Amino acid sequence: GASAGAVVAGTGAGLRAGVLPPDCEVLVVVAPKASDYAAVEALCTSAGMGTCIILLNARLEGARIDTVQQRDFLLGEFEPVFHLKPPPPAALKDAREANGGVAVPTPILSRAFPSDWVLSSKPALGNPKKIATFKARPSYSEVVAVLSDPEVGNKAGLIEGQLRSLVGQISSILG
């Protein structure tokens, strides 16, 4: 027979009420807010393995989640299938400090399931350059460690960009 399914907006009463249509096989929760996470957890618990629950644009990373247990549940149970976002700005600051104040590449962390997580850098000219890959989502300290490695700056084209900048400055002085 046909599959039963439901689409619930993140602020919908159905989500907060924790009620699913009978025989619901797939539930898509669109853009849930922090106030919806408790209801999502309750739905997961009540629906069990019989319902596939998809959080679309959930933005769980960095969200205000009520309890440590709820955070562990949501981050542990839901697999990011597409991710394209820069690491937190503090990671760049910490990497620069660990690298003696030398510039670090501007990174982008990406993943398209089932591939690995990729940390890339976009040089001033050309395509993004892969800096590192990870089997699991890298931790904050793993990102800082990679970015603060001087070899990463070379790989990401930082020296190339610095040389272009220097040549531009010399040209403006001479010209």
Side-chain angles (χ1 to χ4, degrees):
S3 295
V7 176
V8 178
T11 57
L15 177 63
R16 280 190 241 120
V19 178
L20 290 177
D23 300 322
C24 179
E25 294 178 8
V26 178
L27 172 68
V28 178
V29 182
V30 180
K33 308 273 186 264
S35 59
D36 298 322
Y37 295 147
V40 168
E41 183 179 15
L43 282 170
C44 290
T45 303
S46 67
M49 297 302 288
T51 301
C52 174
I53 298 178
I54 299 168
L55 303 182
L56 183 63
N57 292 334
R59 294 179 169 88
L60 293 175
E61 293 294 321
R64 292 184 184 169
I65 298 177
D66 291 342
T67 66
V68 172
Q69 293 81 9
Q70 191 178 73
R71 175 179 294 284
D72 290 347
F73 174 81
L74 292 169
L75 294 175
E77 291 298 317
F78 288 92
E79 180 76 29
V81 294
F82 184 77
H83 183 92
L84 180 65
K85 185 176 178 182
L92 293 173
K93 179 181 173 281
D94 290 348
R96 195 175 310 112
E97 287 175 7
N99 200 15
V102 176
V104 296
T106 302
I108 295 291
L109 184 61
S110 62
R111 179 180 190 221
F113 183 83
S115 299
D116 291 341
W117 290 84
V118 177
L119 188 62
S120 300
S121 173
K122 176 71 173 97
L125 296 173
N127 294 325
K129 303 208 187 255
K130 187 185 302 184
I131 300 171
T133 59
F134 306 88
K135 292 288 180 201
R137 183 185 187 124
S139 68
Y140 178 89
S141 30
E142 288 174 310
V143 170
V144 170
V146 168
L147 292 176
S148 61
D149 181 347
E151 286 301 310
V152 167
N154 295 341
K155 188 188 259 186
L158 281 181
I159 291 175
E160 203 176 289
Q162 290 169 345
L163 285 174
R164 270 196 210 97
S165 174
L166 181 61
V167 168
Q169 290 173 0
I170 292 171
S171 295
S172 67
I173 291 170
L174 295 176

